[in-house]
């Protein structure tokens, strides 16, 4: 009961202080507001960034590895492209060798893509389309939901059948009436029958492969269309391990060993291939976001310190203005801890008001959300903001509260 009574009394004093000196209080609490906004805004934006990346990579699942001659580059040091350029491309013989000998690999596929293609159906045209040729297993690795029709079969892939599954953007452009299944389209002078249409994927936060602008065909059909005409083919393999969280190292080691055996590399020779992991992108971004969190925390810390000193100043002024009241309370039997908690709670309330203002500003950031970058103040960041506000209130109010609690009641009443 004493705590509840003290709580409401402190709240009343805090509201009274705000009403009596609104301009002074608002200016003093601005530091806490800006500090909380800086810290929680950084945390919220970083969470939005991580969520966007995770969502973009979710279609691949766990333990997905890209095998090619070009390693992923994230701007760390020099990129020796001239060395990677001379590497051989993965081929179907390596695909078959890994399929026959790998124990940790669940599925593996070969694929290649060409951008900037014009796709036609009668008088309708889709510009800048992406043609992907892939083996049948590609569908088991990359999530490719189909809204209409079906995926091509193993037999159609082996025979190089001129069948195609097209993206939603291609379908809407070529077939406005939604009657694309079974129709014959033309790409690069080659005719393909549409057997399926992918679901709308939408924009992605990072440049991951999208099915919206694609014409997906069997790998052997792709080879016939390009290699037979003397065009350069830059194939890649994509492998997926079994869905476990702790076997990525075994998958990488196995793939590396099998490829070195297949290519006849000597023990001292370096790899002439690259094993790229999708989670490497997340690790790289985590490094950046960690730096952003640190920078935002430092900036917010200075702002909060300024706000903390301002609150301490308000509390010292409040103690001086209520000196006689403190003397009367102590003369009537109020204990030192009662006076201390009274001013400490008041300081915490004032800090909470500033923190709530900062969190309100952070919540307004949601207005800047896009389809791929969703900003929202989650419960964890909300709690962090309130805890920081409370801690600043305690630190800022402890010295004024102690000075009030130590006052001599007679001297305090005389000061009036």
């Amino acid at each position: 009961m004493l705590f509840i009574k003290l709580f409401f009394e402190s709240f009343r004093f805090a509201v009274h202080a705000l009403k009596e000196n609104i301009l002074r209080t608002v200016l003093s609490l601005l530091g806490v507001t800006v500090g909380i906004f800086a810290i929680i805004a950084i945390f919220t934006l970083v969470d939005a960034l991580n969520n966007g990346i995770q969502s973009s990579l979710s279609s691949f699942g766990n333990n997905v590895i890209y095998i090619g001659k070009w390693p992923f580059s994230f701007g760390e040091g020099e990129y020796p492209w001239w060395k990677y350029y001379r590497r051989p491309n993965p081929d179907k013989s390596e695909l078959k060798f890994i399929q026959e000998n790998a124990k940790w690999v669940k599925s593996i596929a070969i694929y290649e893509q060409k951008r900037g293609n014009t796709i036609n159906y009668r008088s309708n045209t889709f510009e800048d389309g992406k043609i992907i040729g892939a083996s049948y297993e590609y569908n088991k690795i990359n999530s490719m939901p189909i809204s209409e029709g079906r995926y091509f079969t193993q037999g159609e892939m082996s025979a190089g059948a001129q069948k195609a599954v097209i993206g939603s953007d291609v379908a809407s452009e070529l077939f406005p009436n939604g009657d694309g299944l079974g129709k014959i389209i033309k790409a690069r002078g080659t005719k393909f029958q549409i057997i399926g249409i992918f679901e709308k994927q939408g924009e992605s936060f990072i440049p991951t492969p999208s099915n919206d602008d694609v014409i997906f065909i069997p790998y052997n059909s792709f080879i016939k269309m390009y290699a037979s005409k003397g065009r350069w083919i830059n194939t890649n393999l994509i492998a997926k391990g079994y869905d476990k969280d702790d076997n990525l190292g075994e998958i990488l080691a196995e793939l590396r060993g099998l490829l070195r055996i297949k290519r006849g590399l000597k023990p001292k020779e370096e790899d002439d291939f690259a094993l790229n992991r999708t989670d490497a992108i997340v690790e790289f971004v985590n490094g950046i976001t960690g730096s952003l969190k640190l920078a935002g925390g430092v900036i917010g810390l200075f702002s909060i310190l300024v706000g903390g000193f301002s609150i301490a100043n308000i509390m010292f002024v409040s103690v001086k203005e209520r000196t006689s009241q403190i003397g009367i309370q102590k003369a009537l039997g109020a204990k030192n801890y009662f006076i201390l908690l009274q001013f400490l709670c008041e300081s915490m309330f004032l800090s909470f008001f500033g923190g709530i203002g900062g969190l309100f500003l952070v919540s307004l950031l949601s207005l800047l959300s896009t389809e791929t970058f969703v900003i929202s103040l989650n419960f964890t960041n909300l709690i962090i903001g309130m805890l920081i506000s409370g801690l600043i209130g305690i630190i800022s109010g402890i010295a004024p509260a102690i000075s009030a609690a130590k006052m001599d009641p007679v001297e305090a009443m005389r000061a009036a």
Side-chain angles (χ1 to χ4, degrees):
M1 291 299 295
L2 177 63
F3 177 79
I4 295 175
K5 182 179 180 180
L6 180 61
F7 179 87
F8 284 106
E9 185 176 356
S10 300
F11 180 77
R12 181 171 58 84
F13 282 137
V15 173
H16 177 74
L18 286 172
K19 289 182 178 180
E20 288 294 321
N21 303 283
I22 294 180
L23 181 60
R24 183 186 70 183
T25 303
V26 170
L27 292 176
S28 299
L29 297 184
L30 190 59
V32 176
T33 299
V34 172
I36 294 297
F37 171 77
I39 293 177
I40 305 304
I42 290 295
F43 290 171
T44 301
L45 293 175
V46 167
D47 289 343
L49 178 65
N50 288 331
N51 291 338
I53 293 173
Q54 294 290 348
S55 177
S56 298
L57 297 177
S58 62
S59 60
F60 301 108
N62 298 324
N63 297 339
V64 175
I65 300 170
Y66 288 86
I67 307 168
K69 65 180 185 180
W70 302 97
F72 291 168
S73 175
F74 302 109
E76 296 182 0
E78 186 180 13
Y79 188 78
W81 60 269
W82 56 89
K83 179 174 68 176
Y84 306 140
Y85 177 81
R86 293 193 295 267
R87 291 177 171 180
N89 292 310
D91 55 31
K92 292 182 68 175
S93 66
E94 293 171 340
L95 170 71
K96 184 177 180 181
F97 184 75
I98 293 174
Q99 284 177 329
E100 293 174 349
N101 296 279
K103 296 180 180 179
W104 290 97
V105 176
K106 181 180 180 181
S107 302
I108 184 169
I110 189 169
Y111 74 98
E112 168 61 319
Q113 63 182 22
K114 295 291 184 181
R115 298 179 179 274
N117 299 283
T118 300
I119 304 169
N120 300 298
Y121 174 72
R122 295 180 180 175
S123 60
N124 295 333
T125 301
F126 183 86
E127 301 289 346
D128 198 26
K130 180 173 57 180
I131 299 178
I132 295 180
S135 57
Y136 175 77
E137 293 80 5
Y138 191 91
N139 186 44
K140 300 178 181 180
I141 302 172
N142 188 355
S143 177
M144 304 173 68
I146 295 176
S147 61
E148 299 179 55
R150 62 177 177 85
Y151 188 69
F152 57 78
T153 64
Q154 179 67 57
E156 290 170 334
M157 199 285 293
S158 301
Q162 291 174 297
K163 307 289 186 178
V165 184
I166 61 175
S168 61
D169 290 350
V170 180
S172 60
E173 193 74 22
L174 299 182
F175 308 102
N177 297 325
D179 54 349
L181 286 181
K183 298 296 193 301
I184 305 297
I185 60 175
K186 183 179 290 187
R188 291 279 185 179
T190 304
K191 295 180 180 180
F192 293 92
Q193 183 184 30
I194 300 175
I195 60 173
I197 300 174
F198 291 119
E199 286 185 6
K200 179 72 175 179
Q201 185 172 338
E203 296 181 0
S204 176
F205 184 76
I206 59 176
T208 54
S210 173
N211 299 329
D212 294 342
D213 61 346
V214 74
I215 167 174
F216 201 88
I217 62 177
Y219 179 75
N220 289 345
S221 303
F222 184 92
I223 293 298
K224 287 192 297 183
M225 184 168 57
Y226 282 95
S228 62
K229 298 179 182 179
R231 293 189 175 93
W232 181 47
I233 301 295
N234 183 21
T235 53
N236 294 272
L237 301 179
I238 180 172
K240 180 177 176 62
Y242 291 94
D243 293 330
K244 297 180 181 179
D245 296 330
D246 56 352
N247 65 344
L248 182 59
E250 286 84 352
I251 300 170
L252 289 168
E254 183 178 58
L255 287 173
R256 182 171 182 265
L258 291 175
L259 285 170
R260 289 184 65 86
I261 292 173
K262 178 61 178 174
R263 296 190 176 189
L265 297 177
K266 298 179 180 179
K268 292 186 178 180
E269 289 182 305
E270 67 176 16
D271 296 340
D272 59 354
F273 53 85
L275 302 177
N276 297 309
R277 300 173 293 131
T278 54
D279 60 340
I281 302 175
V282 178
E283 292 176 2
F284 172 72
V285 174
N286 284 340
I288 297 177
T289 54
S291 299
L292 290 176
K293 281 187 175 181
L294 179 60
V298 171
I299 295 172
L301 177 62
F302 282 107
S303 298
I304 286 178
L305 286 175
V306 173
F309 284 121
S310 300
I311 291 176
N313 179 62
I314 290 177
M315 294 311 300
F316 276 117
V317 172
S318 181
V319 170
K320 185 176 181 180
E321 290 177 346
R322 288 154 50 188
T323 300
S324 61
Q325 183 181 349
I326 295 170
I328 294 171
Q329 286 180 334
K330 300 192 75 172
L332 293 175
K335 302 296 184 181
N336 286 348
Y337 73 85
F338 181 87
I339 303 298
L340 186 141
L341 290 178
Q342 178 180 300
F343 283 92
L344 200 57
C345 288
E346 184 176 338
S347 174
M348 290 178 61
F349 276 123
L350 292 172
S351 183
F352 269 127
F353 290 144
I356 291 172
L359 293 174
F360 174 74
L361 293 177
V362 173
S363 67
L364 294 180
L365 291 177
S366 61
L367 300 176
L368 303 178
S369 296
T370 64
E371 180 181 352
T372 58
F373 190 68
V374 180
I375 305 172
S376 61
L377 178 61
N378 60 42
F379 181 75
T380 300
N381 289 337
L382 176 65
I383 295 300
I384 291 174
M386 299 308 294
L387 288 177
I388 293 175
S389 298
L391 181 61
I392 292 299
I394 293 174
I395 296 174
S396 302
I398 191 67
I402 290 175
S403 67
K406 288 183 176 180
M407 283 185 179
D408 182 83
V410 176
E411 296 295 331
M413 287 188 290
R414 284 178 180 177

